[in-house]
């Protein structure tokens, strides 16, 4: 699936800025449709966000094609989290409305671990995932 330039992020929210390369991110995967980067304020080691490159506000604004792609990429990232971080499961969270802090659709991927984890620096988790 390809988007024309005008369909890409053109709002001023923080995720549009990340997508447009205006601010840095710990990006672990990227294609024409999504950017996948680590949450800077993680709940758990490997807390990841999958964000569509075109500006989609929330679930009500979401199209089936993009959603389908997001779920395909979710499975791919889950494999990476299992392989590199030894995660043993995955929780998906997606806020709409009141609890949605960033007004640009994003799916939270929160890996699960059987052993209690100490929260590492995001930079160190990034290195583990990309080495
Ligand atoms: P939500 O409450 O579902 O809108 O979640 C927004 C998430 O975005 C939070 O978990 C934040 O920690 C995360 N976040 C905010 N700014 C950034 C950023 N610059 N890079 C990565 N994650 C971010």
């Amino acid at each position: 699936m390809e988007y024309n330039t005008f369909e890409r992020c053109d709002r001023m929210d923080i995720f549009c800025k990340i997508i447009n390369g205006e601010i840095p991110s710990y990006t672990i995967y990227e294609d024409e449709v999504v950017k996948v980067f680590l949450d800077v304020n993680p709940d758990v080691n490997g807390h990841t966000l999958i964000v569509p490159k075109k500006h989609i506000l929330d679930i009500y604004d979401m199209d089936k094609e993009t959603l389908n792609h997001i779920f395909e990429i979710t499975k791919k990232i889950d494999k990476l989290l299992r392989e590199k971080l030894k995660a043993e499961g995955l929780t998906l969270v997606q806020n709409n409305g009141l609890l949605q802090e960033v007004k640009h659709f994003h799916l939270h991927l929160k890996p699960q671990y059987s052993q209690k984890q100490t929260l590492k620096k995001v930079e160190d988790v990034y290195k583990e995932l990309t080495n």
Side-chain angles (χ1 to χ4, degrees):
M1 186 182 4
E2 292 206 1
Y3 293 123
N4 297 324
T5 311
F6 68 86
E7 288 179 306
R8 286 184 182 275
C9 255
D10 57 355
R11 309 292 166 90
M12 295 312 285
D13 68 74
I14 194 149
F15 290 170
C16 282
K17 287 182 180 170
I18 288 175
I19 287 157
N20 290 331
E22 290 167 41
I23 59 171
S25 64
Y26 292 103
T27 295
I28 58 169
Y29 175 85
E30 182 168 10
D31 62 27
E32 276 297 303
V33 182
V34 293
K35 196 162 175 92
V36 181
F37 49 89
L38 297 178
D39 196 300
V40 283
N41 189 19
D43 290 344
V44 64
N45 292 325
H47 183 167
T48 300
L49 303 172
I50 302 185
V51 183
K53 285 189 173 175
K54 68 176 174 179
H55 186 90
I56 295 173
L57 172 62
D58 58 16
I59 197 71
Y60 302 102
D61 198 23
M62 175 56 74
D63 60 273
K64 283 183 188 163
E65 233 185 340
T66 306
L67 190 60
N68 198 32
H69 186 75
I70 287 171
F71 274 95
E72 283 306 314
I73 299 306
T74 298
K75 288 187 269 181
K76 194 183 182 82
I77 302 299
D78 179 52
K79 281 190 189 141
L80 182 74
L81 296 167
R82 285 171 190 264
E83 188 191 317
K84 301 277 189 172
L85 303 184
K86 308 290 174 237
E88 295 167 79
L90 185 69
T91 300
L92 301 178
V93 175
Q94 192 267 316
N95 290 314
N96 300 276
L98 195 59
L99 293 181
Q100 185 180 1
E101 180 198 319
V102 179
K103 302 299 183 194
H104 183 134
F105 184 99
H106 50 282
L107 183 64
H108 295 255
L109 277 61
K110 302 187 190 189
Q112 302 160 356
Y113 304 94
S114 56
Q115 304 297 319
K116 195 168 164 36
Q117 301 271 308
T118 308
L119 211 52
K120 298 174 191 168
K121 280 200 245 169
V122 179
E123 190 187 339
D124 292 340
V125 174
Y126 174 75
K127 282 181 193 155
E128 283 182 56
L129 286 170
T130 52
N131 279 339

